[in-house]
Structure formats: C-alpha cells, structure tokens
Amino acid sequence: MLDINPILLVATLIVFLTLIAVLNSWLYNPLFAYMSKRDEDIKKDLEKIGSNDEEIKELELKAQSIIANAKLEAAALREKVITDAKELAESKIEAKRAELASQYLEFEQLLAKTREQLSSDLKSQIPLFKEAVKAKFSQI
C-alpha cells in the first residue's frame, strides 16, 4: 500500500531542514532581535518613569518648602502690617487725646474766667438786689 521511498524521504528532510535554516535566518532571528530590543526599550522607559517619579517627588518637596516659606513670609508681613496699623492708630489716638486735653484746659480756663466775671457782676449788683428785696417786702 504505502511505500516509503527513501530518496523522497531524504529529499523532504533536506527541504525541511533548508526551510528551517532559511526561516531562522530571515524571519525568526530578526523577529527575536526586534522583540528583545522592544523589551530593552520598555525597561529603559520604566527606569525613566522611576527617575521621573523621584524627580517629581523632589519637585513636590521643593514646591512644598516654597509654599511653607511663602506662608511664613505672609504671616510675618501680616503681623508687621497689623503692628504698623496699631502704632498709627495709637499715635492718632494720642494726638487726639492731647488735642482734647488742651481744649479741655482752654474750656476750664474760660469757665473760670466766666465764673469770676459772673461772681464780680453779681457782687456789684448785690446792693440793687437788696433794694429790690426790700421793695418787695415793703409791698407785702
């Protein structure tokens, strides 16, 4: 039925081995080289990502320190402005107090002069009041 022909078997074996050798050199080796290059590129990219993560962490720390310094500077500036405003308000209050004190002294002096003038006017008119009171009593 089936005859195995050794020449055909050897010829098929030679063609098969030749095909494997040709495919190996033309297809499989370039394909494996491409795959290994791709794996190396992926590893390099992952390493770059890792170094980028470190860089990002460093930049975040730097940004946080800058923000903290800015907050401290803002707080110091705020305190300075508040202190300056309080000092200005105190100086204005003291100036107004001094002005009011001088006005009060002037008022007291005027009041004393007016009191003395009124007292002297009343003393000068005492005899007139006495006569008016006597006239009223005499009418009663």
Side-chain angles (χ1 to χ4, degrees), residues 104-122:
Y104 183 71
L105 286 176
E106 289 175 12
F107 172 73
E108 281 183 337
Q109 291 171 354
L110 180 64
L111 185 62
K113 286 180 185 176
T114 307
R115 183 181 301 140
E116 288 175 15
Q117 186 180 8
L118 183 61
S119 176
S120 66
D121 286 348
L122 287 175

Side-chain angles (χ1 to χ4, degrees), residues 59-101:
L59 290 175
E60 284 178 350
L61 289 175
K62 191 174 183 181
Q64 288 175 353
S65 69
I66 289 171
I67 289 171
N69 289 338
K71 285 181 180 180
L72 290 175
E73 288 177 12
L77 183 62
R78 185 180 320 118
E79 288 298 321
K80 183 179 181 284
V81 167
I82 289 172
T83 304
D84 291 346
K86 284 182 181 179
E87 289 174 1
L88 180 64
E90 286 294 324
S91 67
K92 285 183 179 180
I93 289 172
E94 287 300 319
K96 195 64 174 176
R97 281 185 184 159
E99 180 185 342
L100 289 175

Side-chain angles (χ1 to χ4, degrees), residues 8-24:
L8 284 178
L9 184 63
V10 170
T12 304
L13 183 63
I14 290 173
V15 168
F16 180 71
L17 292 175
T18 305
L19 180 64
I20 287 180
V22 168
L23 284 177
N24 189 28

Side-chain angles (χ1 to χ4, degrees), residues 12-66:
T12 304
L13 183 63
I14 290 173
V15 168
F16 180 71
L17 292 175
T18 305
L19 180 64
I20 287 180
V22 168
L23 284 177
N24 189 28
S25 65
W26 287 355
L27 179 66
Y28 296 129
N29 283 338
L31 184 63
F32 287 139
Y34 173 76
M35 289 172 64
S36 359
K37 184 180 178 293
R38 190 186 73 179
D39 287 341
E40 289 174 11
D41 289 343
I42 289 173
K43 285 180 185 177
K44 287 180 185 176
D45 289 343
L46 288 175
E47 288 174 5
K48 285 181 183 178
I49 289 172
S51 67
N52 285 345
D53 285 344
E54 292 173 7
E55 213 173 296
I56 288 170
K57 287 179 185 177
E58 289 175 11
L59 290 175
E60 284 178 350
L61 289 175
K62 191 174 183 181
Q64 288 175 353
S65 69
I66 289 171

